[in-house]
Amino acid sequence: MQSDTSILEKNSKLTESSIHPSGGGGASIFISDKAKAKVINLMNDAGVGGDPSYFLRVSVVGGGCSGLSYKMDFDNEVKPMDQVFEDKGIKIVCDLKSFLYLVNTELEFSDGLNGKGFYFNNPNASRSCGCGESFAV
């Protein structure tokens, strides 16, 4: 896996001000209306929908046919280096290393005939696999 510095050098969109929300760059992780509705339904099904301490954790892990894969889960513990965002009333948290890959990504949900599920509209991915579950930068 590449170092954080080489990722920053490779992607000119990622600057110090864009990877730190307080830097004024406006970088974030976003969620579509459809994905928001599905996340709310899943949180309710999991029994954590009414608990404001729970949030959506997104991350990037090694693996998949393109080298990196997305991971999503519900969590209620913010770690020291986590980046915390809110979009459309949904609290989204990711670790700093994952955020380097996910800056300005939008979480989408599709329930169409060509596939059902969450997918990430990631402007930082140089290529992704056919299944949409892994990517490379």
Side-chain angles (χ1 to χ4, degrees):
M1 197 181 279
Q2 296 177 332
S3 71
D4 296 345
T5 305
S6 66
I7 295 165
L8 287 172
E9 290 169 356
K10 184 176 178 182
N11 191 338
S12 62
K13 293 179 190 173
L14 298 177
T15 63
E16 274 301 307
S17 64
S18 70
I19 63 170
H20 296 292
S22 60
S28 188
I29 297 175
F30 305 98
I31 188 166
S32 71
D33 291 331
K34 256 187 165 175
K36 173 189 171 181
K38 188 63 176 178
V39 165
I40 290 170
N41 286 342
L42 289 172
M43 288 181 90
N44 289 334
D45 291 349
V48 298
D51 188 341
S53 68
Y54 277 86
F55 52 82
L56 178 65
R57 178 175 292 280
V58 295
S59 59
V60 172
V61 295
C65 43
S66 291
L68 298 168
S69 295
Y70 301 107
K71 184 178 176 185
M72 292 176 26
D73 204 355
F74 299 126
D75 195 356
N76 64 350
E77 182 181 333
V78 177
K79 297 174 182 79
M81 293 300 289
D82 280 346
Q83 305 297 298
V84 180
F85 308 97
E86 188 166 325
D87 188 38
K88 297 184 175 93
I90 300 293
K91 184 176 178 181
I92 304 167
V93 176
C94 75
D95 61 272
L96 180 58
K97 193 169 192 172
S98 292
F99 185 60
L100 293 173
Y101 295 104
L102 296 173
V103 67
N104 293 329
T105 293
E106 183 174 29
L107 177 61
E108 305 261 1
F109 183 78
S110 173
D111 55 2
L113 297 174
N114 291 334
K116 183 175 184 175
F118 289 100
Y119 64 96
F120 290 79
N121 184 2
N122 187 343
N124 308 301
S126 62
R127 69 178 192 273
S128 60
C129 64
C131 65
E133 293 179 11
S134 70
F135 69 103
V137 290

